[in-house]
Amino acid sequence: MKFGVGQPVRRVEDKRFITGRGRYVADHAVPGQAHAAIVSSPHAHARILGLDVSAAAAAPGVLAVLTGADVLADGLGGIPPLFMPQNAQGPFGYRTLRPILIPDIVRAVGERVAMVIAETPAQARDAADLIEVDYEPLDAVVTLEAAVAEGAPAVWPDCPGNVSFSLTHGDPAATDAAFAKAAVTVALRLENNRIIANAMEPRAALGLYDAADETYTLYATSQNPHGFKEMIARDVLGIPATRLRVIAPDVGGGFGAKADCYPEDALVLWAARRVGRPVKWVGTRSEGLMGDNHGRDQLVHAELAADAEGRVLAVRARALHAIGAYHFSAGVAPLLYSLRYIPGVYAIDTVDLETRAVFTHTSPLGVYRGAGRPEAIYVIERLMDELATRLGISPVDVRRRNFVPPARMPYKTQTGAVYDTGEFEALFDKALALADWDGFDARRSESEARGRLRGRSVAYYIEHAGIYNDRMEIRFDPTGSATILAGTHSHGQGHATAFAQLVSEQLGIPFEAIGYIQGDTDKVMIGRGTYAARSSLIGGSALKLAGDKIIEKGRRIAAWKLGVEPDEITFDAGMFVARSTNRSMHMTEVAIASFQARGVPEEFALGLSAAATYSGDVPNYPNGCHVCEVEIDPETGAVELAAYAVVDDVGVVINPMIVEGQVHGGLAQGIGQALLEHIVYDPDSGQLVTGTFNDYCMPRADNLGPLAMAHHNVPCLTNPIGVKGCGESGAIGAPPAIMNAILDALRPLGVAHLDMPATPSRVWAAIAAARRAAA
Amino acid sequence: MSVELKVNGRAVTVDVEPRTTLLDCVRDELGLKGTHAGCEHGVCGACTVLLDGQPTRSCLMFAVQADGYEITTIEGVAPQAGELDVIQDAFCEAHGLQCGFCTSGMILAARSLLEREASPTVEDIREAISGNICRCTGYGQIIEAIQLAAERMRGQNAPASPSLSRTEAVR
């Protein structure tokens, strides 16, 4: 089937992007729109003693200057976190509320202090520079260890010690016992570097207010427009949600950072009401680096106990995980997953895991591609290599001795995950073959002949894909074509194509005629957007269930039209066939009949449509193996990816071309985290050091090397279409694969440990230190 | 101040402040929204346009400096309205884009490369697009798209059937 499931169908959304006709928020221009600029805090922690806006207010083109005092005067609320552990029977955390403009104390560089609205963007920016804020700087902490140190300045006075909550898993006493009897134990201190999504489209917001109807419209760079609507209407503006429409048009990438609303999304709506004009704000890259949610930033002390053959007996971990100055967005989620997936794909009977949520004077930490799974897999995969090194066995053997075998599926981990499927060892062997693992010695000799060090690694990831329920609708029109109304939200993932493939195949209707609507809260009844690799599972399964309802209703309509009983009707490949006769009707004809102006039996109601909900309460478990070879120049510390092979199990594939792009894109972000990317704050002043793309190093085409990809797909058993997620996989598997390969290359020189990112200067310094120690 | 520009083969006169960047001029004065601001400091390449065929950061240049150059934006790439050129078609065929935000700059960088090098190696392609950041694709399918376009431009392959057209409403 040319457009069916499994085909590399060209994306229907591409034409507007390749011709420059995409419409992102910043591209929207509405009549009379004014422009906003934000004044940000230059201090990590300071009290606002005074704020003089008179010069700004008098500047050319300025329509209004708004401050935290105005927010308070207008009775606007702050932005709460999406959830706290206590909302899910977890421990009680210190809940914060983030003001949309700060009236009193700033708690991070980049906090929004004032907003200027002017006729042009340049006038708004010019006037913003005229605002004088009198700050009393206060002591700040930006690193995890400093934040939990004795006597550290408190980000929140009511939360001394800066720990909001701690989460635990496992059995400490059993773990102690396992460590006591272990033949070997290993321990690591691992930093999971703070990074940032950096979607290429900076965030933007355009707010409209209709004074006659008292309604608001927001154009938002959002992965989740209904979530924005709910939070802004309920928590910030305090209006019935019926008065707010949120539209997420073309959105230029999200990766988690656009999953929930930011102060600017509410500010433009409020400002539009205040000035009586539409107000548009378009963020700069530096504002994004400073003020978008960051990701990761975790410090773990991890230990592993094993028997003499390398079978893992227990894992213990104590982590600190930064949450920044506020609990914000789904920022709690990474902590949950960072513990739950530490066992990875291995049968580990005993664990004792703890993580603490730590406030720091920095931008909040949110969900970023993988959200906790990269942290978890990094811990276990680094430990496995450490164990192999200690025992003097190969990283292949140590993993092989610990995999959960297919015979034990469904397998429940000690942290409560239930893996339905997974052929870990078979996939592993496929990856080793793809990478020519056994031919490594020759390649290493060749590298050494050129003065380069060569190292290799094999790492295995598993991930939790899908969360929450969602609703999808299929709606026919009187001409017989169908439109998908999606609760999910594509911002690069190709849903308009993949979902149409599913519907075309199930209902037997022409792919080309299927319409697609998403991202508008007035058009789509409810949706939760796209993140956590959820949309193939939840959107796809809900579409399947909606399609089942369409077929069921279609059967009754066909029976009516063909004059037979509904149970006489069979459906296959788009045709309703009356078994006892030679008569049939196509789905399109049935749809047209359902819209007849006369004669439709009342019980059918008018038209043909169906909505269905699917819940992600049971996630799926994509998994796979990364085999990496690096080449290192010992004179410069530069690391090159010499070879990289990935084999994934992503279940049933809807569109292989899209899956390949998702895996490859995730991989590039994982490579970025391992080798290049790092959000750095100055530890003393709390200043953001990496505030531009000159300082924050993004992966480029010439940073990536050859890549071999293959699949070992095992259909998921817990959802009706057999899919597993694919969006986060690459970002989870790559960091441990790369770091383990680098360490494999450097261990002969005496380098025992390295943290991410493995920049040339860090690698060079590690080599130099090892040489000094050996001398 | 008044500036005369030649954009996508058409002569236009715009009235801009001296500090207006070519990027803002193209987007806001000429309404060509396919050129994107990704970093405003000349690193990411989302704002790439061609000046006399050379890929150029329109965010790092004032509109007044562009006087006298032939400016090509993504809107000027297709031979006719509603059609695609070979590179655009290859980006779709090879799935060389996801969110689409960097795509205009990528296609223009590719066009510049293929105009001077008909048979680029993978390394040539990596080099040519290494000034353009893509956060979605990991570049693999972009490189494949450019290889495919090069192959087709060399006449070794017929273009694929015309791209699909269908109704779609996402906004």
Side-chain angles (χ1 to χ4, degrees):
Chain A
M1 200 172 181
K2 191 176 167 200
F3 297 112
V5 171
Q7 297 302 311
V9 177
R10 288 167 64 122
R11 296 201 318 175
V12 298
E13 53 267 75
D14 280 356
K15 194 168 179 184
R16 64 179 187 273
F17 298 127
I18 55 184
T19 56
R21 265 83 177 180
R23 277 295 171 266
Y24 303 90
V25 173
D27 301 336
H28 285 73
V30 294
Q33 75 184 10
H35 299 269
I38 298 287
V39 178
S40 305
S41 164
H43 296 286
H45 191 199
R47 183 174 287 113
I48 299 174
L49 300 177
L51 211 150
D52 182 355
V53 304
S54 54
V62 171
L63 300 167
V65 180
L66 300 172
T67 67
D70 299 316
V71 171
L72 293 176
D74 279 11
L76 301 182
I79 302 178
L82 205 57
F83 52 85
M84 291 290 290
Q86 54 261 42
N87 302 132
Q89 293 85 48
F92 195 86
Y94 183 84
R95 191 183 173 88
T96 59
L97 196 62
R98 183 179 188 178
I100 59 172
L101 290 175
I102 305 298
D104 46 12
I105 294 175
V106 293
R107 291 184 164 83
V109 166
E111 285 239 75
R112 290 70 161 166
V113 170
M115 184 190 216
V116 179
I117 299 103
E119 294 290 347
T120 71
Q123 286 173 332
R125 189 74 261 155
D126 286 346
D129 290 343
L130 299 175
I131 292 180
E132 288 190 22
V133 188
D134 185 9
Y135 291 103
E136 178 195 353
L138 303 169
D139 287 342
V141 278
V142 296
T143 66
L144 283 161
E145 281 170 325
V148 297
E150 190 72 28
V155 177
W156 296 95
D158 297 339
C159 185
N162 293 316
V163 175
S164 172
F165 61 83
S166 65
L167 296 177
T168 58
H169 267 297
D171 185 336
T175 304
D176 290 347
F179 270 78
K181 72 169 188 188
V184 56
T185 66
V186 293
L188 287 170
R189 175 194 181 277
L190 299 171
E191 290 177 9
N192 208 294
N193 43 326
R194 179 183 284 243
I195 51 181
I196 181 169
N198 268 335
M200 289 316 295
E201 178 206 23
R203 287 189 308 104
L206 170 60
L208 288 77
Y209 179 68
D210 183 324
D213 294 340
E214 296 178 39
T215 55
Y216 298 82
T217 303
L218 174 69
Y219 289 84
T221 46
S222 173
Q223 299 175 226
N224 175 16
H226 286 87
F228 276 45
K229 169 175 160 152
E230 207 175 296
M231 197 168 274
I232 293 171
R234 182 191 56 213
D235 297 306
V236 182
L237 299 179
I239 56 169
T242 44
R243 296 210 187 135
L244 173 60
R245 175 184 186 184
V246 178
I247 299 168
D250 286 330
V251 174
F255 316 111
K258 295 175 181 168
D260 297 290
C261 67
Y262 285 81
E264 292 86 359
D265 297 301
L267 282 169
V268 293
L269 293 169
W270 173 53
R273 192 182 81 204
R274 291 276 303 229
V275 303
R277 302 255 301 267
V279 173
K280 183 176 178 180
W281 169 81
V282 179
T284 64
R285 180 59 56 189
S286 290
E287 284 178 307
L289 285 158
M290 187 167 65
D292 286 5
N293 296 340
H294 297 162
R296 322 282 192 249
D297 197 1
Q298 182 214 35
L299 173 66
V300 197
H301 290 271
E303 299 167 84
L304 180 147
D307 68 16
E309 280 73 50
R311 274 181 291 270
V312 179
L313 303 173
V315 173
R316 186 189 285 137
R318 295 286 177 268
L320 302 174
H321 213 138
I323 49 180
Y326 300 90
H327 274 298
F328 197 64
S329 180
V332 170
L335 279 85
L336 301 173
Y337 295 128
S338 73
L339 295 189
R340 189 180 298 164
Y341 292 98
I342 282 182
V345 291
Y346 308 112
I348 299 176
D349 291 335
T350 312
V351 297
D352 170 15
L353 312 173
E354 185 207 38
T355 188
R356 287 187 281 163
V358 180
F359 287 117
T360 52
H361 288 107
T362 65
S363 193
L365 280 294
V367 286
Y368 167 57
R369 204 168 195 162
R373 291 78 135 189
E375 291 92 319
I377 298 299
Y378 189 65
V379 167
I380 190 65
E381 289 300 307
R382 286 285 307 258
L383 284 172
M384 292 304 268
D385 264 34
E386 197 67 16
L387 175 62
T389 304
R390 177 67 57 84
L391 289 173
I393 61 176
S394 127
V396 168
D397 292 338
V398 79
R399 285 170 174 80
R400 208 183 282 288
R401 287 169 198 175
N402 287 286
F403 283 133
V404 175
R408 289 185 71 181
M409 297 291 167
Y411 177 81
K412 184 168 185 179
T413 69
Q414 293 301 309
T415 51
V418 182
Y419 303 153
D420 63 299
T421 49
E423 297 174 356
F424 307 140
E425 190 168 9
L427 187 153
F428 184 68
D429 284 331
K430 198 182 260 190
L432 294 172
L434 182 67
D436 183 27
W437 180 264
D438 294 335
F440 176 73
D441 286 346
R443 294 190 293 276
R444 181 170 53 194
S445 301
E446 192 274 330
S447 295
E448 283 170 353
R450 287 183 288 107
R452 299 287 194 272
L453 307 168
R454 196 172 182 112
R456 67 172 167 177
S457 69
V458 55
Y460 208 111
Y461 78 89
I462 190 161
E463 106 110 325
H464 169 134
I467 187 172
Y468 302 144
N469 54 15
D470 221 321
R471 179 182 184 275
M472 303 290 279
E473 188 176 345
I474 302 169
R475 196 189 281 171
F476 281 88
D477 62 45
T479 71
S481 15
T483 296
I484 297 165
L485 291 98
T488 52
H489 186 275
S490 181
H491 31 276
Q493 297 90 339
H495 294 176
T497 307
F499 286 155
Q501 287 179 256
L502 285 171
V503 170
S504 168
E505 172 150 321
Q506 188 188 5
L507 301 184
I509 55 177
F511 172 84
E512 300 87 337
I514 296 172
Y516 180 72
I517 293 174
Q518 66 162 24
D520 183 334
T521 61
D522 269 11
K523 293 181 179 169
V524 175
M525 191 182 101
I526 181 66
R528 301 191 198 284
T530 288
Y531 41 83
R534 68 190 297 271
S535 299
S536 62
L537 167 68
I538 299 158
S541 298
L543 266 181
K544 166 73 166 63
L545 300 181
D548 289 345
K549 290 186 188 178
I550 293 277
I551 292 168
E552 201 37 55
K553 185 173 178 190
R555 188 191 309 278
R556 292 193 292 135
I557 296 170
W560 159 57
K561 295 299 284 184
L562 298 175
V564 298
E565 290 301 312
D567 58 11
E568 289 274 297
I569 301 283
T570 59
F571 180 77
D572 183 45
M575 295 303 292
F576 292 96
V577 179
R579 264 198 309 260
S580 55
T581 72
N582 60 352
R583 301 178 63 200
S584 64
M585 281 179 86
H586 191 263
M587 174 61 83
T588 305
E589 297 172 289
V590 166
I592 292 169
S594 76
F595 282 95
Q596 271 180 216
R598 294 168 190 271
V600 176
E602 214 164 88
E603 58 181 288
F604 292 166
L606 178 62
L608 183 58
S609 68
T613 298
Y614 190 80
S615 169
D617 288 351
V618 177
N620 60 69
Y621 294 98
N623 61 89
C625 184
H626 290 216
V627 185
C628 173
E629 288 185 22
V630 296
E631 216 178 57
I632 299 172
D633 182 342
E635 302 309 314
T636 65
V639 177
E640 194 176 313
L641 295 177
Y644 209 107
V646 182
V647 179
D648 288 298
D649 168 7
V650 296
V652 170
V653 170
I654 301 171
N655 184 324
M657 204 162 71
I658 290 176
V659 168
E660 184 185 334
Q662 286 292 315
V663 172
H664 205 151
L667 192 73
Q669 292 185 15
I671 291 168
Q673 168 162 28
L675 294 178
L676 309 167
E677 299 181 40
H678 200 185
I679 287 276
V680 179
Y681 286 94
D682 179 79
D684 297 322
S685 67
Q687 286 299 318
L688 179 65
V689 176
T690 49
T692 71
F693 271 171
N694 290 312
D695 321 292
Y696 188 90
C697 189
M698 294 279 280
R700 295 173 176 278
D702 55 356
N703 296 124
L704 308 177
L707 170 68
M709 282 173 79
H711 286 273
H712 182 82
N713 292 329
V714 183
C716 180
L717 299 177
T718 55
N719 70 68
I721 57 175
V723 294
K724 298 178 182 177
C726 66
E728 304 185 313
S729 308
I732 301 170
I738 293 167
M739 295 307 290
N740 281 340
I742 293 171
L743 285 164
D744 182 57
L746 299 183
R747 270 194 199 97
L749 305 183
V751 175
H753 174 71
L754 205 58
D755 278 313
M756 300 186 287
T759 57
S761 67
R762 278 189 176 184
V763 172
W764 182 87
I767 294 171
R771 281 181 175 155
R772 274 197 306 276
Chain B
M1 59 191 288
S2 182
V3 192
E4 286 177 22
L5 300 174
K6 194 164 182 201
V7 181
N8 300 331
R10 274 181 38 228
V12 291
T13 305
V14 292
D15 188 27
V16 294
E17 286 186 60
R19 65 174 172 175
T20 304
T21 62
L22 180 59
L23 168 66
D24 287 344
C25 175
V26 164
R27 284 180 57 81
D28 300 335
E29 303 298 324
L30 304 178
L32 299 171
K33 303 289 193 184
T35 306
H36 298 144
C39 73
E40 326 87 26
H41 44 260
V43 182
C44 80
C47 67
T48 300
V49 299
L50 301 182
L51 285 195
D52 289 349
Q54 287 296 314
T56 303
R57 307 283 203 238
S58 65
C59 76
L60 284 189
M61 179 169 187
F62 296 117
V64 296
Q65 294 175 294
D67 196 348
Y69 289 99
E70 293 268 355
I71 302 166
T72 305
T73 70
I74 186 67
E75 290 88 351
V77 168
Q80 299 278 340
E83 291 182 11
L84 300 178
D85 90 334
V86 174
I87 301 172
Q88 289 171 316
D89 190 63
F91 266 68
C92 182
E93 178 90 11
H95 189 34
L97 68 155
Q98 291 182 28
C99 82
F101 199 80
C102 75
T103 307
S104 304
M106 285 288 180
I107 288 174
L108 291 167
R111 184 185 174 105
S112 169
L113 168 70
L114 297 181
E115 273 173 6
R116 60 179 194 270
E117 175 58 66
S119 303
T121 63
V122 168
E123 287 317 306
D124 293 336
I125 296 172
R126 281 188 196 281
E127 169 74 21
I129 62 168
S130 67
N132 294 65
I133 301 175
C134 170
R135 192 55 151 169
C136 295
T137 64
Y139 306 100
Q141 288 164 315
I142 294 178
I143 292 167
E144 286 171 22
I146 297 171
Q147 287 178 299
L148 178 63
E151 194 181 311
R152 286 181 175 165
M153 287 166 80
R154 290 194 303 268
Q156 293 169 354
N157 208 337
S161 57
S163 67
L164 300 169
S165 66
R166 41 161 280 185
T167 54
E168 186 199 359
V170 294
R171 33 185 184 268

